[in-house]
Amino acid sequence: MTTNLSVNLNKVALLRNARDGDTPDIEHAARLVLDAGAAGITVHPRPDMRHVRPDDVSRLAELIAKDYPDREFNIEGNPKAHRNADGYPGFMEIIEHAKPTQATLVPDSDEQLTSDHGWDLPRQAGEIREHVGRLKDWGVRVSLFMDVDAHQDIAAASAVGADRIEVYTGPFAAAHQEGTQALKSALEAYVRISKAAETAGLGINAGHDLSLENLTRLVNAFPPLEVSIGHALTAEALQYGLPETVRRYLQILNSSRCNK
């Protein structure tokens, strides 16, 4: 099994939004990463529309359906994010319109800089279950963003109807920088939650703070079905170019010990 790469385009949109106009063009960036071999793209349209906007989501959904029907479109966000006066239509409304391959449900607040924690299960199961049911009715695969130490709560993720979990890899990235002992403990936690997901019949994705520098260690410890990478990949593309950066990630994923 080869781990799929989904490229998060949020930071491309963030750069565009720093000035008036359409440069860099998010649709062009999507074409570059997909033509380079990425299995899909990810976006996280937030209520403040600081980066990816609802019209971007519509354009990207159309692009995937028309020109890349074999690739995946993953939309992240909080299902409780509702319509606001700034033109945000609500997360579930975005999903209903775009019909992506996958919706990754994240319990972030409007003011959060980035997604930095997972769902608190089973305490939040009731509020999630209804949203999951609607998404499944629309033919959308559902993944729940979860903390790495939540392995005892994985059965609750399965019980609400999720297909996968996306494990938050921020602690892994921090441990990778800290050193050998911290990294060993961190990887053991990811292996533990991976086994719990497998026992519960859930697929497992991974995302946050992954980079060319640390990805090999993660995928050699356990093989997620998908990694979603945006911030580091966009920064690395300033050095290598976007297509070449994607190819470097794919080389790591294709040559990892778990994928041989």
Side-chain angles (χ1 to χ4, degrees):
M1 181 198 75
T2 299
T3 299
N4 285 333
L5 171 66
S6 185
V7 176
N8 191 314
L9 298 174
N10 279 3
K11 293 305 167 64
V12 175
L14 182 67
L15 178 59
R16 176 203 60 195
N17 295 352
R19 299 281 292 270
D20 292 332
D22 296 320
T23 303
D25 182 78
I26 194 168
E27 185 176 340
H28 178 61
R31 288 186 181 276
L32 287 176
V33 301
L34 293 170
D35 288 343
I41 55 174
T42 291
V43 295
H44 189 148
R46 293 179 179 273
D48 61 8
M49 296 193 287
R50 72 185 77 157
H51 33 57
V52 172
R53 301 165 179 159
D55 61 318
D56 295 321
V57 176
S58 296
R59 290 169 57 206
L60 293 171
E62 183 177 352
L63 173 71
I64 292 286
K66 179 181 177 182
D67 295 341
Y68 301 91
D70 60 332
R71 310 303 174 87
E72 296 200 346
F73 190 20
N74 174 46
I75 303 179
E76 301 177 340
N78 192 328
K80 297 185 292 181
H82 300 301
R83 180 185 301 272
N84 63 29
D86 296 325
Y88 180 79
F91 179 77
M92 294 297 284
E93 287 74 13
I94 289 174
I95 298 295
E96 185 177 16
H97 174 74
K99 297 294 195 304
T101 318
Q102 176 175 269
T104 299
L105 305 187
V106 183
D108 55 0
S109 60
D110 292 356
E111 65 276 6
Q112 267 184 250
L113 179 63
T114 186
S115 304
D116 60 9
H117 66 278
W119 293 99
D120 180 8
L121 295 178
R123 187 179 67 84
Q124 293 177 296
E127 62 189 273
I128 298 173
R129 184 176 289 106
E130 181 179 350
H131 297 300
V132 172
R134 290 179 64 195
L135 293 167
K136 299 291 282 292
D137 286 344
W138 296 334
V140 178
R141 186 172 70 227
V142 180
S143 179
L144 299 183
F145 197 63
M146 299 290 292
D147 293 317
V148 66
D149 60 357
H151 59 278
Q152 293 180 332
D153 300 332
I154 297 304
S158 178
V160 300
D163 302 290
R164 297 184 183 183
I165 62 167
E166 179 177 319
V167 61
Y168 171 51
T169 50
F172 157 76
H176 189 273
Q177 289 188 321
E178 185 176 338
T180 303
Q181 187 55 46
L183 180 58
K184 181 176 182 294
S185 297
L187 289 175
E188 289 173 351
Y190 285 96
V191 171
R192 186 160 55 245
I193 197 169
S194 176
K195 290 180 178 178
E198 182 178 1
T199 299
L202 294 170
I204 186 166
N205 299 336
H208 208 87
D209 291 338
L210 298 176
S211 68
L212 288 173
E213 180 181 359
N214 62 33
L215 183 61
T216 298
R217 295 299 298 269
L218 183 79
V219 295
N220 276 343
F222 82 97
L225 296 173
E226 170 189 291
V227 289
S228 176
I229 306 177
H231 181 85
L233 189 151
T234 306
E236 292 154 348
L238 297 176
Q239 180 177 358
Y240 303 119
L242 195 49
E244 175 60 22
T245 303
V246 169
R247 286 190 285 268
R248 290 181 182 224
Y249 275 99
L250 293 176
Q251 183 177 18
I252 291 173
L253 295 175
N254 292 333
S255 62
S256 70
R257 182 170 66 239
C258 290
N259 293 329
K260 291 181 178 178

